[in-house]
Structure formats: structure tokens, C-alpha cells
Amino acid sequence: MSSIHSDLDLIKDILISNNQTVSVAESVTGGNIQALLASVSMAIDFYQGGITTYNIGQKVRHLGVEPIHAIKCNSVSDKVARELAIGALKLFMSDFSIAVTGYVGPDENNDSDKPIAYISIARISNEEISEVHHEKIEYELKERDEVQRYFAECAIRIFGEYLSKRTF
């Protein structure tokens, strides 16, 4: 597995060389993806910004998540991740977006005994918005901040891998 710094440099190089941008919609990662992207030199040339929405109301209001489904699953599903990604594309007018929702550990809303995250990558091309990748990730139960960083780094790695396989 590559280092987070090489993944970030790869993302920067590909997006800048293709004059494209990325935005982020986060929940379970608590702003960690945004912090990672903003830490890269020349981030202003490819990173449009991000939003962290922790509750259903904010996901619905700011990113257009469908509320009935979100309520049924406490905003943790592949569908919600997809809607967050599409919402970020529209909100930030970027070419790509990365979205993550999930749980850092078991609680009354999470029937999984492990932390889980749903990651979605969306893009806009020729004014058509589409989800281009989605993935569910599980992790061993650890400290909350470690789980959040792990999921954020997974999202960055997945986005870098997606970009490196594309032909622009």
C-alpha cells in the first residue's frame, strides 16, 4: 500500500495536469479528507473545498440526501454516500467528488460490530453527473480518531487509484 503523501501527490499531479478539481462531502471521517487535501502544496489549483455533515438534517439541507431513506438507515448506506458525492459536485462545482459516510464503532444505530464506511466517488463530464466508484470498508474497532483517519486515508487511496486508471 502506498503512503498517503504519495497518494495525495498523485491526485494533485493528475488533477492539475488535466485542469480538473475535486470536492469532498464527509460524515464519519469528520473533516479528515478535507484536511489531507488542503495540506498539499498547490491545493488551491485542484481542491474546491468540502463539507462535513454529521446529522440527517444537514445532509438533506446542504447535499440533497433523500430524507426517508436517510432516516431509515441513519444516513449510513451506499445510497447516502452516492447522494453525498453528487451533492458535493453540485455544491462546489467540481469535476470530481469524494464522499464518505459510516460508523466509527458499534452503537444503538449500528448493527455491525465493526466500524464501517461507504465511500463514493462521483464525477461530472459533459454536464452529466455520475457515480463512478463505490466501496464499503470495514475496520477493526480502535480509537475513534484512528478509525476516522483510516477511513479518510482509504478514501484518498481509492480516489488516487481511480484517477490513475482513467484516460483523460
Side-chain angles (χ1 to χ4, degrees), residues 3 33 96 99 104-105 109 131 157:
S3 80
I33 299 170
F96 295 95
V104 293
N109 298 309
E131 179 195 41
R157 178 185 44 79

Side-chain angles (χ1 to χ4, degrees), residues 10-92:
L10 173 71
I11 290 168
K12 173 185 82 170
D13 293 345
I14 291 172
L15 290 178
I16 289 175
S17 68
N18 289 286
N19 197 31
Q20 293 186 312
T21 60
V22 64
S23 61
V24 178
E26 296 183 75
S27 183
V28 69
T29 47
N32 279 281
I33 299 170
Q34 295 168 72
L36 286 168
L37 288 169
S39 73
V40 176
S41 67
M42 301 172 58
I44 196 164
D45 293 331
F46 70 92
Y47 175 50
Q48 291 284 30
I51 186 170
T52 302
T53 55
Y54 246 48
N55 66 52
I56 294 168
Q58 298 308 315
K59 288 174 176 68
V60 170
R61 178 178 184 175
H62 297 291
L63 296 167
V65 169
E66 194 279 308
I68 294 173
H69 172 75
I71 290 167
K72 288 179 182 175
C73 68
N74 197 34
S75 295
V76 178
S77 73
D78 189 44
K79 179 180 180 186
V80 171
R82 191 169 35 254
E83 291 171 342
L84 292 172
I86 291 168
L89 281 176
K90 293 174 182 177
L91 181 65
F92 292 98

